[in-house]
Amino acid sequence: MDNSKIPVQRGLTRRIIPCLDIRDGRTVKGINFESIRDAGDPVELAVVYSEQGADELVFLDITATVEKRKTLVALVKRVAEQINIPFTVGGGISAVEDVALLLKNGADKVSVNTAAFKDPALIKLLSNEFGSQCVVLAIDTKKEDDGEWYVYLNGGRTKTATKTRDWAKHAVELGAGEILLTSMNNDGTKNGFALDITADLATRFNVPVIASGGAGTEAHFKEVFEEGKADAALAASIFHYKEIEIPALKKYLQQQHIPVRN
Amino acid sequence: MVAIIQYNAGNVQSVQYALQRLGVESIVTDDEALIRSAEKVIFPGVGHAAPAMKYLRERELDQLINSLKQPVLGICLGLQLMCNHSEEGDTVCLGIFNEQVRLFHSTDLKVPQIGWNNIYDFRSPLFHSLTENDFVYSVHSYYASLGNETIAKTDYILPYSAALQKDNFYAVQFHPEKSGPVGETILKNFIKLS
């Protein structure tokens, strides 16, 4: 990449994270959390993304049944054997033993969502056992008519009366090391990330916030890093269907003076 | 054969996979004879300094590590444990490097540092064929300050030791096993050391 005209400014860079939704060992993508399409073999995709300069990967397992979860551990092992960038695994994680098994097989972090909301002590258990750095709190959030952002559970199907800011605060106190924030209003729209709630959490807490939901253009990434103050931005379908390619996205962000790894 | 020291801190699997990708045979072990006879030793680590040092002392792995003669590579917590002392749990460490490990303090930057940052000012064959400011992946709240044994630097909140070397002991604060092609080169360079 020709960046001879860009002065060297050292420091931590903003991360670009492709997300792979996994069901029964295959990559899928839910549009507005519904109507899922098959986007291929996850390991193959993971290798492609890591070679293209993705900074990290997230695998969210949406397999419903317990017996099929064993395929996730096998998948994690295959991914860890083949890629040399960090990756997070999430989806249905509710026990310390689940996490131990995923980390042992090579995952760097795990994300917890519904189970942590129902039993917040899980966050403390996990951070004490494995360290905060590997505990990512995933929050699915939706802005209601009252203008407030609320927490949703079960992949966005169940509304709660808890405000996202309050839950995030509690979870960070319990030891969550990072927040993966998905806006249901924005997810699948390709109209851009939810900048207000992202900036709210990213400036309020001393843990990194990964913005998710709504990426449609390269400019949306610039917005979420500048206005949204996000530490990382996650997207799925636009990467899977090559609407945006990571090398071009990073080149664009560098030109826009957003620090990214080249 | 590379021996990866097995103890209570961390996820050694990724290091082993990284070596496997380079075609290098490794074994995860806490067996003294195996560690002593290995051509290279890797001392990885993710976790808290105090229980890690306690564990090493109870099994006399501390003395073993300090007496090794072959090239040794500490990674992340491994680097911190090879210093004199860590503020994490006010822990006396192995004392291979004459450095203090301190907690990052910042009002505007997040702690831990998580992600990709530059390494520069290389002073070791460990960084052979790399370019100044290449990127590596780190996750840490504590850092070793700069000193005579610093062989690469990173800037986060302040410049700190991204890597240290004394005699046959090498250590990196970042995760070469998770740092893409740059990390792969560093591991390759370590394997080539004599």
Side-chain angles (χ1 to χ4, degrees):
Chain A
M1 194 183 294
D2 176 24
N3 53 6
S4 54
K5 290 186 190 110
I6 300 163
V8 172
Q9 202 180 1
R10 296 189 190 107
L12 186 64
T13 54
R14 308 297 179 106
R15 289 170 280 157
I16 302 294
I17 307 179
C19 176
L20 289 76
D21 288 347
I22 307 294
R23 192 175 61 188
D24 303 340
R26 298 282 294 175
T27 313
V28 292
K29 173 57 189 170
I31 308 295
N32 280 328
F33 293 81
E34 285 166 21
S35 67
I36 280 159
R37 285 160 64 185
D38 189 336
D41 173 38
V43 179
E44 202 179 302
L45 257 178
V47 170
V48 169
Y49 286 140
S50 106
E51 285 170 354
Q52 284 182 344
D55 297 305
E56 224 173 292
L57 298 173
V58 169
F59 296 85
L60 285 183
D61 186 36
I62 54 172
T63 304
T65 58
V66 174
E67 64 270 23
K68 293 230 171 109
R69 303 215 128 247
K70 285 176 196 142
T71 62
L72 181 65
V73 174
L75 175 67
V76 164
K77 185 170 184 292
R78 280 175 63 215
V79 170
E81 279 172 340
Q82 294 197 36
I83 68 166
N84 53 15
I85 58 170
F87 68 98
T88 302
V89 180
I93 290 170
S94 59
V96 172
E97 305 84 76
D98 298 347
V99 174
L101 197 57
L102 293 168
L103 296 178
K104 186 171 170 278
N105 279 278
D108 298 280
K109 316 177 198 179
V110 294
S111 76
V112 290
N113 191 331
T114 303
F117 186 88
K118 289 182 173 163
D119 176 19
L122 176 65
I123 296 174
K124 190 157 201 171
L125 269 176
L126 293 178
S127 64
N128 284 347
E129 183 77 20
F130 308 107
S132 285
Q133 84 290 336
C134 64
V135 184
V136 180
L137 175 72
I139 307 178
D140 295 325
T141 186
K142 192 172 177 184
K143 195 180 203 169
E144 300 287 350
D145 296 337
D146 63 0
E148 292 283 352
W149 291 91
Y150 290 90
V151 177
Y152 275 68
L153 303 178
N154 301 313
R157 290 187 296 274
T158 312
K159 184 185 185 310
T160 74
T162 303
K163 286 177 189 163
T164 295
R165 184 191 299 152
D166 297 336
W167 170 224
K169 180 172 188 287
H170 189 201
V172 169
E173 284 164 2
L174 289 169
E178 216 166 354
I179 296 171
L180 166 52
L181 181 70
T182 303
S183 162
M184 296 168 60
N185 305 67
N186 301 61
D187 195 59
T189 65
K190 297 189 185 174
N191 288 331
F193 294 92
L195 303 177
D196 56 342
I197 184 68
T198 303
D200 185 34
L201 300 193
T203 53
R204 196 175 289 270
F205 307 116
N206 200 24
V207 301
V209 172
I210 305 166
S212 156
T217 66
E218 291 177 344
H220 291 151
F221 286 87
K222 181 190 180 201
E223 274 173 16
V224 80
F225 291 133
E226 282 187 343
E227 291 168 52
K229 313 286 181 202
D231 299 275
L234 176 145
S237 57
I238 54 157
F239 294 138
H240 300 337
Y241 301 115
K242 299 184 180 168
E243 290 161 37
I244 292 181
E245 299 213 54
I246 292 165
L249 172 60
K250 288 198 156 182
K251 191 164 190 179
Y252 163 82
L253 290 171
Q254 276 186 330
Q255 285 161 351
Q256 301 297 315
H257 306 290
I258 308 248
V260 288
R261 174 178 73 119
N262 53 22
Chain B
M1 173 71 78
V2 174
I4 302 171
I5 297 178
Q6 180 169 40
Y7 67 121
N8 63 334
N11 183 359
V12 294
Q13 194 59 67
S14 311
V15 176
Q16 197 166 25
Y17 286 147
L19 293 173
Q20 193 178 299
R21 284 191 295 270
L22 296 174
V24 174
E25 241 188 293
S26 63
I27 181 167
V28 179
T29 180
D30 60 0
D31 180 85
E32 177 171 355
L34 281 175
I35 293 171
R36 280 208 192 281
S37 62
E39 290 156 49
K40 303 277 176 343
V41 175
I42 293 185
F43 180 40
V46 174
H48 193 287
M53 275 311 301
K54 183 166 180 275
Y55 184 101
L56 293 174
R57 286 215 174 85
E58 281 167 2
R59 286 157 186 79
E60 297 180 355
L61 285 167
D62 56 335
Q63 295 167 33
L64 169 65
I65 294 168
N66 285 32
S67 66
L68 291 173
K69 301 290 177 228
Q70 65 272 62
V72 176
L73 179 66
I75 297 176
C76 194
L77 181 66
L79 173 144
Q80 299 180 2
L81 297 180
M82 288 160 79
C83 293
N84 279 337
H85 175 269
S86 174
E87 284 184 359
E88 188 174 33
D90 189 14
T91 306
V92 174
C93 299
L94 297 172
I96 293 167
F97 301 123
N98 189 24
E99 293 301 337
Q100 302 298 315
V101 175
R102 300 189 168 92
L103 178 63
F104 279 128
H105 287 286
S106 174
T107 47
D108 56 337
L109 289 175
K110 294 175 182 185
V111 178
Q113 167 175 229
I114 300 183
W116 297 80
N117 199 334
N118 315 90
I119 45 174
Y120 65 96
D121 226 346
F122 303 146
R123 287 152 199 259
S124 165
L126 208 53
F127 304 103
H128 178 73
S129 84
L130 292 183
T131 309
E132 286 275 298
N133 299 314
D134 269 347
F135 286 95
V136 292
Y137 182 82
S138 306
V139 181
H140 61 125
S141 298
Y142 293 81
Y143 67 94
S145 32
L146 298 178
N148 293 338
E149 293 150 349
T150 303
I151 53 168
K153 300 172 187 168
T154 292
D155 294 353
Y156 188 69
I157 301 172
L158 75 179
Y160 65 87
S161 291
L164 292 161
Q165 184 198 344
K166 187 190 180 190
D167 306 327
N168 57 318
F169 293 98
Y170 299 75
V172 293
Q173 178 58 61
F174 51 87
H175 287 277
E177 76 280 13
K178 289 287 171 179
S179 293
V182 171
E184 215 164 271
T185 300
I186 292 167
L187 287 175
K188 250 188 236 168
N189 289 339
F190 173 68
I191 297 304
K192 279 192 237 154
L193 290 173
S194 49

